[in-house]
Amino acid sequence: MTALPDHHDIAPPMRTLAELRDALRIWGIPGDLQAFEKELADADLDDLTHVREITQAYRHRVLLRCDPQAMAALMRTTEDVTSELGRKMAEGNTR
């Protein structure tokens, strides 16, 4: 599997399936580890492209949980985003 990008300084190691399982256990959203195990069990392990896609998707979930800005963005309400978009559009129209 692939190594993590260098810009994720606080991310746990996830170079192996064992490390990814540990990261999901600690950092994952509840149910992530079970869903990961089910997807792997259901996958054709000879299809390395599909296995890589599965592992990358779950690595990215952990990376999101480790990134405070990403988590803050995910926690915003629809109303908050709509309000900010409206303000920015209004500012753009006044220029």
Side-chain angles (χ1 to χ4, degrees):
M1 303 302 154
T2 61
L4 290 175
D6 293 334
H7 63 278
H8 291 286
D9 296 333
I10 63 169
M14 294 184 282
R15 292 176 299 275
T16 66
L17 288 178
E19 288 177 343
L20 179 54
R21 285 179 175 110
D22 287 341
L24 286 169
R25 193 174 293 111
I26 295 166
W27 290 90
I29 296 168
D32 273 357
L33 180 58
Q34 295 78 9
F36 172 69
E37 295 295 351
K38 180 171 180 357
E39 282 190 54
L40 267 186
D42 292 346
D44 175 6
L45 297 181
D46 290 332
D47 183 356
L48 295 180
T49 300
H50 185 59
V51 171
R52 182 177 187 278
E53 289 170 353
I54 293 168
T55 57
Q56 286 297 92
Y58 283 91
R59 281 190 179 110
H60 289 289
R61 291 176 71 88
V62 171
L63 293 175
L64 278 173
R65 289 290 297 245
C66 294
D67 185 339
Q69 289 179 324
M71 288 307 296
L74 290 173
M75 301 298 283
R76 292 180 66 185
T77 65
T78 302
E79 293 80 21
D80 182 36
V81 173
T82 302
S83 175
E84 180 180 345
L85 181 59
R87 280 194 308 275
K88 287 185 177 187
M89 289 177 68
E91 288 172 8
N93 289 336
T94 60
R95 291 181 192 179

